[in-house]
Amino acid sequence: MHQRRNGNVKSDNGMRKGYNYSNLESGTYRKNGDTNSNIMEQQNNERISELSEQVARLKGLTIDIGNEVREQNSLLDNMGDNFGNVGDLLQGTMRRIGTLLDRGGGRHMLILVGFVVFVMVFLYW
């Protein structure tokens, strides 16, 4: 389609009143608005699928994090119970040492200090 203006030939690339006549021979003749909306809809669908994949990945990560937190909490609870038991054991040991010192006097204290020094030297070596 050509139009003449002031003696010059100007082409409108097959476009007139919003119709695309260049695809008329192939039978795919549409309005430009329809083509643009289809392209935009396709792009939107691609972006929606990308977002849904990212959301699925994030959901998997949050589930894994939740499982890890539950596992860590149970380990911490077990450690707290174990430390409570160790504290009770130390209190009993300190009570026995106090009783030993009250009964035996200096000789038992010397044996106890010698034992502690021996253990320290053994662990250092």
Side-chain angles (χ1 to χ4, degrees), residues 24-44:
L24 188 60
E25 294 171 359
S26 65
T28 58
Y29 145 94
R30 294 186 202 163
K31 280 190 165 184
N32 281 338
D34 291 342
T35 305
N36 288 338
S37 66
N38 287 340
I39 291 172
M40 289 176 65
E41 185 175 347
Q42 182 181 5
Q43 289 173 347
N44 285 339

Side-chain angles (χ1 to χ4, degrees), residues 3-123:
Q3 295 177 350
R4 291 194 182 260
R5 289 190 186 169
N6 299 333
N8 295 331
V9 175
K10 186 172 183 179
S11 172
D12 63 355
N13 293 329
M15 303 294 291
R16 181 177 270 174
K17 294 184 183 177
Y19 291 100
N20 186 354
Y21 292 107
S22 62
N23 293 329
L24 188 60
E25 294 171 359
S26 65
T28 58
Y29 145 94
R30 294 186 202 163
K31 280 190 165 184
N32 281 338
D34 291 342
T35 305
N36 288 338
S37 66
N38 287 340
I39 291 172
M40 289 176 65
E41 185 175 347
Q42 182 181 5
Q43 289 173 347
N44 285 339
N45 289 338
E46 290 171 1
R47 289 184 180 135
I48 287 171
S49 65
E50 289 172 4
L51 281 174
S52 66
E53 290 172 5
Q54 290 177 354
V55 167
R57 272 189 250 128
L58 287 175
K59 181 181 177 183
L61 283 174
T62 55
I63 289 171
D64 290 343
I65 288 171
N67 292 337
E68 185 68 25
V69 166
R70 274 189 230 94
E71 187 177 317
Q72 294 293 326
N73 281 338
S74 68
L75 288 174
L76 288 174
D77 289 341
N78 290 337
M79 283 178 60
D81 294 342
N82 290 338
F83 280 123
N85 293 338
V86 168
D88 293 342
L89 235 114
L90 282 175
Q91 284 178 351
T93 303
M94 294 303 291
R95 198 174 328 110
R96 283 189 216 122
I97 289 175
T99 306
L100 179 68
L101 290 177
D102 287 343
R103 283 193 209 160
R107 182 172 176 244
H108 287 290
M109 179 60 114
L110 183 63
I111 291 172
L112 184 63
V113 169
F115 178 73
V116 169
V117 168
F118 173 75
V119 168
M120 292 295 180
V121 168
F122 180 75
L123 291 176

